Amino acid sequence: MHEKERHRIIQSAVQEKPVVTVQELVDLTSSSEATIRRDIAALHVQKRLRRVRGGAEAITPPQFVGLAGRPFSVNETMHASQKRAIARAAVELCKDGEPIIINGGTTTFQMVHFLTNRRMPIFTNSFPIAEHLLKQSKNTVTLSGGTIYREQNIILSPFDNDVTRNFYARRMFMGAQGLGPLGLMEGDPLLIQAEQKLIDQADELVVLVDSSKFRQRSSLILCGLSRIATVITDEGLEDRDAGMLEAAGVSLVVVPVAQARREESSLPA
C-alpha cells in the first residue's frame, strides 16, 4: 500500500474513533508496526493528527463515533476486478422472484451491475446498493432502518424492533473482514449485532470474499463455518483454505483471475 493511501486510511480512522491504536492501524493497512509509527510521526509533524502513547487521535475529536474498519471509498479500490467477478458468480445463484438479502460492502455492491434485468425482492442495509437498484433496475427494494454510517455507507440499528425481523430470504449475500477456521470475522460489535439478525432471516448464507480475506483476522467472530452454505472467491485461494472449507462442508466457487480482469474491463464503473 502506498504512503498516501496509508495516510488517508489513518486520517479517516482517527476521525471515526477518539483514539486509534497502532495495532488497529496495522490491521487496517496490512502494514508493519514500524511503518505505522513512522506514518503517525509524519502526520503529527504536519499537524494532521496528534500522536499519543500507543496510537493517534484527531486534532479535533469526532462528534460521532463510527464503525471500526476501512472506509467504503478505500475498500472499493482494492481487488476491484476480483470483486466484480465474484459478484457476478453470486448473482448467477439467484432466480427471479426469490427474495434475497444483500449486506452492505464493496464486494456485495458489485452485484448491482448484474441485477439490472432481474425481478426480485431485495432487502439491504446499504444505501448505495438500494440507490443503484432503484435507479437501474425493476427489483423491489427494502431498506433496513437505523443510523447511516457514512464511511462504510451502511445502515445499522441496535434495536430488535426494526423491519429486519419481517423479511424472509432464500439467500443472504455478504462479505467479511476475514475468514478462517473459526468462521467469519468482523471488526465492530455493532456490525456483528446487525449482521447476526440478518443471517437469521435467510435459509442460506453465501459469503463473497476475495482470496486476501483468508489471511485477515479480527477479534470478533460473526458466525462459524457451519452456518455458511457457499463461499465465492478468486483463484488466489490457497489449497489449505480450500481444504478448510471442504472439511466444514462449505460449497466453494472459485472465479478465475483472468476472467475477473475481463469483467473489470468490459463493465461500467
Side-chain angles (χ1 to χ4, degrees):
M1 185 179 293
H2 295 298
E3 182 182 88
K4 283 186 177 180
E5 188 174 359
R6 290 200 312 273
H7 285 189
R8 184 155 64 99
I9 293 173
I10 292 169
Q11 287 183 272
S12 175
V14 298
Q15 289 300 326
E16 289 296 304
K17 297 176 66 177
V19 176
V20 182
T21 67
V22 169
Q23 186 56 52
E24 287 174 326
L25 294 173
V26 166
D27 294 338
L28 282 174
T29 61
S30 299
S31 303
S32 69
E33 183 176 322
T35 296
I36 292 301
R37 291 189 183 279
R38 286 196 297 269
D39 287 338
I40 291 174
L43 292 169
H44 176 83
V45 170
Q46 297 169 26
K47 299 187 183 303
R48 293 159 68 184
L49 54 71
R50 185 180 294 110
R51 181 172 55 185
V52 297
R53 184 177 180 84
E57 66 179 8
I59 298 295
T60 304
Q63 299 298 310
F64 175 76
V65 178
L67 301 172
R70 293 192 190 100
F72 186 95
S73 59
V74 172
N75 269 336
E76 68 179 341
T77 64
M78 304 175 70
H79 310 288
S81 58
Q82 287 89 340
K83 290 176 179 180
R84 285 269 192 163
I86 289 168
R88 179 172 184 168
V91 173
E92 289 175 355
L93 297 177
C94 301
K95 296 179 181 178
D96 283 350
E98 278 189 353
I100 63 171
I101 295 172
I102 305 179
N103 193 55
T106 54
T107 306
T108 51
F109 175 77
Q110 295 301 321
M111 291 177 67
V112 300
H113 302 297
F114 308 101
L115 287 166
T116 303
N117 297 319
R118 296 301 186 98
R119 300 291 185 273
M120 308 174 67
I122 300 175
F123 182 98
T124 184
N125 58 2
S126 165
F127 190 78
I129 288 176
E131 182 180 36
H132 195 285
L133 290 174
L134 287 171
K135 290 180 178 179
Q136 306 294 336
S137 81
K138 298 296 184 182
N139 293 287
T140 302
V141 180
T142 301
L143 265 173
S144 62
T147 301
I148 299 175
Y149 290 78
R150 289 182 176 87
E151 289 292 312
Q152 283 79 17
N153 279 335
I154 196 170
I155 304 168
L156 299 178
S157 170
F159 306 110
D160 284 330
N161 59 338
D162 57 27
V163 71
T164 301
R165 298 298 189 190
N166 300 106
F167 192 92
Y168 157 77
R170 177 71 182 86
R171 293 182 179 87
M172 175 176 172
F173 297 89
M174 70 177 299
Q177 182 171 316
L179 180 57
L182 294 180
L184 282 183
M185 288 165 278
E186 284 290 0
D188 190 279
L190 182 57
L191 201 59
I192 291 280
Q193 183 180 2
E195 289 175 341
Q196 284 177 338
K197 285 192 297 184
L198 288 174
I199 289 174
D200 288 342
Q201 301 305 114
D203 287 341
E204 294 184 7
L205 178 61
V206 182
V207 176
L208 284 58
V209 287
D210 65 80
S211 56
S212 70
K213 296 298 180 70
F214 289 89
R215 297 184 290 277
Q216 302 293 327
R217 293 292 182 268
S218 173
S219 61
L220 300 175
I221 299 172
L222 173 60
C223 69
L225 293 178
S226 61
R227 182 63 181 87
I228 303 171
T230 304
V231 169
I232 307 176
T233 189
D234 60 81
E235 66 181 1
L237 178 74
E238 295 183 3
D239 290 342
R240 63 178 179 180
D241 295 320
M244 171 189 70
L245 296 176
E246 182 181 0
V250 178
S251 176
L252 178 62
V253 177
V254 179
V255 178
V257 172
Q259 178 182 337
R261 290 170 180 161
R262 286 198 299 272
E263 293 301 333
E264 170 128 11
S265 62
S266 64
L267 286 169

